Amino acid sequence: MSDIANNEDMYNVTMTPLDNPSRSTCFAMMSLRQIRYFIAIAETGSVSAAAQAVPISQSTLTTAIKQLEDDLGVTLFSRHAKGMELTHQGHQFLRQAHLVLASVDNARRSLQQSTEAVTGELTIGVTSLVAGYYLADLLARFQRIYHRVKLRVVEDDRDYIEHLLVSGEIDVGVLILSNLKYLSALNTEVLTFSHYRLWLPPDHELLQLDSIGFKDLLHEPLILLNVDEMEQRIRNLWAPAASKPTVSLRSASVEAVRSLVSAGMGVALMPDMTYRPWSVEGDTVEARRITEVSETLDIGLAWRRGGARNPLIDLFLPVARESLPVRHNHANS
């Protein structure tokens, strides 16, 4: 094994403040070993379990994480009787920590054996909405690096993909993480997210408002996307409103929703990852924020926790982390 793998403490990582990532001034220096300790706790949910996974003593692990938090100036975990839970800033840092390790893994891979020697089969589970926006680029990127690995893709509903992950019939899932039920049996990692925006036809009167709330939509016909549990998600977003939405149409096609909105048949509440300002007919679609909606649609990875697993998963994860960057909002606020 190379010195890169053996001497992680000699490598310092420079990161920018979590509360202002645009600042160019660097403020913390940390070792790759600290980052790995942090990820281990984030994935296992406790210091004791992470200490066994690393492996290292619990006291050493606790000290390393405390120093990491002190260096960053933020609290990464909330401590409670049942274990450790990531704070909001902890979730932000986890994403960056994975990107750091992915870059190091890629550098190590380029110095070590050729990927020609890597063979086998990797089974990937994906839900339909995610498949349409992320799968092709991800698979192409992985196949360019590991072209002798056979990829098998299973596309189905979230609950079935989750069942196959837990049972070990699928190696890794790329899916919407918001509604997962068996979190105790799975490792999950959010790779990207989408805010929700209201889609409106051009020249709609609501576009003249400085802000739009649910009260402004009481008499607007709503077009619902009913694929990948999206209808239930949208209804849940509407739950705090004083009244239920007036649903006029449903469709399993994002393009159909886009065309219907642009044609003036109604409005739609949709995740930003699906937004494009024109329909297939060339008509435009406007998008605006709803003041009461702050939730995001989280897309990422899931794989079975504990037990033997396909070693190809450890090659797939860093490629996926680089292939699914955090998206910026496309819609106007």
Side-chain angles (χ1 to χ4, degrees):
M1 186 173 293
S2 71
D3 290 340
I4 293 178
N6 285 327
N7 298 305
E8 291 180 344
D9 275 339
M10 67 182 289
Y11 290 90
N12 286 326
V13 180
T14 305
M15 304 193 72
T16 52
L18 295 177
D19 59 349
N20 189 358
S22 64
R23 275 170 47 191
S24 59
T25 303
C26 299
F27 84 120
M29 300 295 286
M30 65 203 74
S31 69
L32 292 176
R33 195 177 300 278
Q34 283 178 302
I35 293 177
R36 293 191 189 279
Y37 292 167
F38 164 74
I39 292 175
I41 296 177
E43 290 187 345
T44 61
S46 75
V47 172
S48 58
Q52 294 179 3
V54 175
I56 199 173
S57 70
Q58 293 186 38
S59 60
T60 301
L61 193 56
T62 300
T63 300
I65 296 302
K66 180 63 170 63
Q67 179 168 359
L68 181 60
E69 289 181 318
D70 290 343
D71 289 342
L72 291 171
V74 299
T75 300
L76 298 173
F77 294 99
S78 59
R79 282 79 169 167
H80 51 81
K82 294 184 179 180
M84 306 270 279
E85 184 176 346
L86 285 170
T87 62
H88 173 69
Q89 290 175 311
H91 280 288
Q92 289 182 298
F93 185 71
L94 180 61
R95 165 66 176 155
Q96 299 302 321
H98 278 308
L99 287 175
V100 168
L101 291 193
S103 297
V104 173
D105 287 342
N106 284 339
R108 178 185 297 148
R109 188 169 58 235
S110 69
L111 297 175
Q112 293 179 338
Q113 65 179 15
S114 168
T115 59
E116 290 288 335
V118 180
T119 61
E121 180 174 300
L122 183 71
T123 303
I124 303 165
V126 65
T127 52
S128 57
L129 191 61
V130 173
Y133 291 91
Y134 297 109
L135 189 62
D137 178 69
L138 172 55
L139 296 188
R141 186 182 182 93
F142 184 84
Q143 207 76 88
R144 282 196 298 269
I145 301 172
Y146 302 104
H147 55 270
R148 297 188 65 191
V149 173
K150 180 180 179 181
L151 297 178
R152 186 170 73 92
V153 177
V154 177
E155 180 179 326
D156 215 303
D157 294 336
R158 187 272 316 155
D159 56 350
Y160 186 60
I161 294 297
E162 191 174 0
H163 164 74
L164 295 179
L165 284 168
V166 173
S167 65
E169 298 173 69
I170 286 178
D171 296 314
V172 62
V174 185
L175 67 168
I176 295 170
L177 302 178
S178 307
N179 280 10
L180 291 181
K181 295 181 179 178
Y182 301 107
L183 290 175
S184 61
L186 296 171
N187 284 316
T188 62
E189 180 182 335
V190 176
L191 296 180
T192 187
F193 61 89
S194 281
H195 290 283
Y196 290 91
R197 296 290 185 270
L198 182 70
W199 290 9
L200 305 108
D203 301 323
H204 194 286
E205 60 182 11
L206 289 179
L207 294 172
Q208 305 305 314
L209 300 179
D210 292 333
S211 63
I212 301 173
F214 284 123
K215 64 179 180 359
D216 302 307
L217 305 175
L218 294 179
H219 304 295
E220 294 292 335
L222 181 69
I223 302 168
L224 279 177
L225 179 67
N226 64 347
V227 65
D228 215 345
E229 302 176 290
M230 284 303 303
E231 178 172 349
Q232 187 56 52
R233 295 179 213 279
I234 294 168
R235 289 186 179 277
N236 290 343
L237 293 176
W238 221 278
S243 62
K244 295 181 180 179
T246 305
V247 178
S248 60
L249 294 165
R250 292 178 176 82
S251 176
S253 166
V254 172
E255 293 310 315
V257 172
R258 198 188 322 274
S259 294
L260 289 166
V261 170
S262 66
M265 300 301 295
V267 299
L269 190 56
M270 298 283 285
D272 272 354
M273 74 184 209
T274 61
Y275 180 70
R276 192 181 67 242
W278 60 86
S279 69
V280 292
E281 296 84 7
D283 297 321
T284 58
V285 176
E286 299 287 343
R288 295 291 186 272
R289 186 173 69 90
I290 296 181
T291 55
E292 296 96 333
V293 177
S294 59
E295 291 86 346
T296 59
L297 186 71
D298 297 334
I299 298 97
L301 304 171
W303 64 99
R304 188 171 62 167
R305 178 176 293 181
R309 72 185 192 191
N310 188 338
L312 292 175
I313 294 176
D314 295 321
L315 301 179
F316 180 81
L317 296 180
V319 174
R321 287 163 186 149
E322 292 188 344
S323 299
L324 298 179
V326 172
R327 294 172 64 93
H328 298 289
N329 296 337
H330 297 293
N332 296 328
S333 60

